[in-house]
Amino acid sequence: MPSRLPKMKCLAISKMVGELTEANIRTATVVAEIGGMSSFEHLELVSKNVLLPVLSNQTNQLSWGDLTSREITDCFHSFLSSSAILCGQVKAETRLPTPPLYGDGGSISESTNRISLLESTIITWTKQIKNVLKQDPEAQLKLGFHPTPDVEISFWKNKANNLNSIFEQLQSPSTRRVLKALDQAKSTYCTTFARLCKEVYAARLEANDNMKNLRTLEKWVNKLNEDDFGNLSAMFKPMLHTLMLIWKHSTYYNTPSRLVILVREMCNSIIDQACRFISG
């Protein structure tokens, strides 16, 4: 299957090696529609829109027994969650998987099993969000690498995009329904998750502000990494002037620890350029 697909494709698969004729084409081929922009998205769509309704149908569960039905349902919901997370990772995004909210009259909070599913979803969201919040711009330095300023700029761009995406997902109707159901059920997870949402909001403001200010350096950083070594001295004055303006106007990046790291990364760029110049 190709890595990237149009929004909708018709797929025909032959079940036989021999020749297809007008007489056997109906029984020898399988025709299906493929949705999504990748094979992973197609798998998620089929699982959520085809397999889940079949497995969740009460008529199909009559001969399974309560324990088997619960186990199959839990395993499949876990699979759906993993599929959604994987589709987000393919796009370098943090995607919060939402559970299917169905039931008699929409009364989610009355079902213990469903509340357990929603609490498991909150636990998954918490792990995902904390992984984004704990991302450290100094990680490469701590590992002994020598990053350049473009790595710093890229880090804050990615973190801002991730936190903006998470914030939008937290505001979505499906997420609100999950939180409302847990609140009605007096779940203990609500208070903890509410605090985490406040952390996301604060971290999002910081990441967006840092990205906005560091973007002003992008032009000079690219020149620092790509121009000839002999032209670098002409860049120091405008680059340091921009750095001074960031110190003056930034809300979060105007701390000695942050600027020390940025200057250190600029020095790494100059060292890289010097090494390339000396080696020819």
Side-chain angles (χ1 to χ4, degrees):
M1 184 175 286
S3 58
R4 191 170 181 82
L5 300 169
K7 287 186 178 181
M8 192 62 68
K9 273 284 189 181
C10 182
L11 175 68
I13 303 174
S14 175
K15 297 189 289 183
M16 58 180 289
V17 180
E19 182 183 357
L20 291 175
T21 65
E22 187 177 351
N24 67 9
I25 192 168
R26 290 181 179 272
T27 57
T29 58
V30 175
V31 181
E33 284 185 339
I34 297 179
M37 298 300 290
S38 69
S39 53
F40 297 113
E41 289 185 12
H42 174 65
L43 174 63
E44 183 191 16
L45 287 170
V46 171
S47 300
K48 194 169 185 178
N49 298 323
V50 179
L51 300 180
L52 179 62
V54 172
L55 292 174
S56 304
N57 191 301
Q58 297 294 328
T59 305
N60 296 333
Q61 297 179 3
L62 290 176
S63 60
W64 295 355
D66 290 341
L67 185 61
T68 305
S69 299
R70 173 76 185 275
E71 187 175 355
I72 291 174
T73 303
D74 288 349
C75 289
F76 196 74
H77 285 154
S78 177
F79 170 74
L80 284 177
S81 175
S82 300
S83 300
I85 293 171
L86 178 61
C87 288
Q89 289 173 340
V90 168
K91 297 179 179 179
E93 298 173 352
T94 299
R95 184 170 167 188
L96 306 179
T98 52
L101 298 179
Y102 52 85
D104 298 331
S107 177
I108 307 167
S109 59
E110 294 178 2
S111 170
T112 304
N113 290 347
R114 244 164 244 155
I115 292 302
S116 177
L117 169 64
L118 298 184
E119 288 181 338
S120 297
T121 301
I122 289 290
I123 293 172
T124 301
W125 291 352
T126 300
K127 289 178 181 177
Q128 290 179 274
I129 292 170
K130 284 185 175 180
N131 283 336
V132 176
L133 291 176
K134 72 180 182 182
Q135 289 175 352
D136 186 4
E138 301 175 30
Q140 291 201 29
L141 287 169
K142 291 176 180 177
L143 291 172
F145 295 105
H146 307 288
T148 49
D150 55 295
V151 175
E152 179 86 0
I153 296 171
S154 178
F155 170 85
W156 287 110
K157 277 184 180 179
N158 292 335
K159 188 165 185 177
N161 291 336
N162 249 332
L163 289 171
N164 287 333
S165 174
I166 289 172
F167 183 77
E168 288 176 6
Q169 291 176 74
L170 291 175
Q171 304 303 312
S172 68
S174 56
T175 303
R176 291 293 184 184
R177 288 172 64 192
V178 171
L179 297 176
K180 182 179 179 181
L182 289 175
D183 186 52
Q184 290 173 349
K186 309 297 182 184
S187 173
T188 55
Y189 288 91
C190 289
T191 305
T192 306
F193 193 73
R195 284 199 297 266
L196 187 63
C197 290
K198 291 180 180 179
E199 290 180 35
V200 169
Y201 181 76
R204 172 175 168 266
L205 291 179
E206 179 185 5
N208 284 324
D209 187 74
N210 289 347
M211 179 183 67
K212 179 184 71 175
N213 284 280
L214 288 175
R215 191 176 286 168
T216 60
L217 271 176
E218 202 163 13
K219 170 186 173 183
W220 303 110
V221 167
N222 290 337
K223 288 186 176 182
L224 188 65
N225 288 333
E226 298 169 5
D227 273 16
D228 292 334
F229 184 75
N231 299 331
L232 294 187
S233 58
M235 300 174 199
F236 295 156
K237 184 175 180 179
M239 190 163 58
L240 293 176
H241 178 71
T242 306
L243 201 59
M244 182 270 292
L245 293 175
I246 292 175
W247 171 271
K248 186 175 180 181
H249 297 288
S250 173
T251 307
Y252 302 94
Y253 212 82
N254 56 353
T255 61
S257 59
R258 289 261 52 85
L259 288 186
V260 164
I261 295 298
L262 188 57
V263 171
R264 184 177 171 183
E265 290 172 340
M266 289 177 178
C267 292
N268 287 339
S269 286
I270 297 171
I271 292 169
D272 287 345
Q273 283 275 45
C275 290
R276 287 196 295 269
F277 178 76
I278 292 171
S279 63

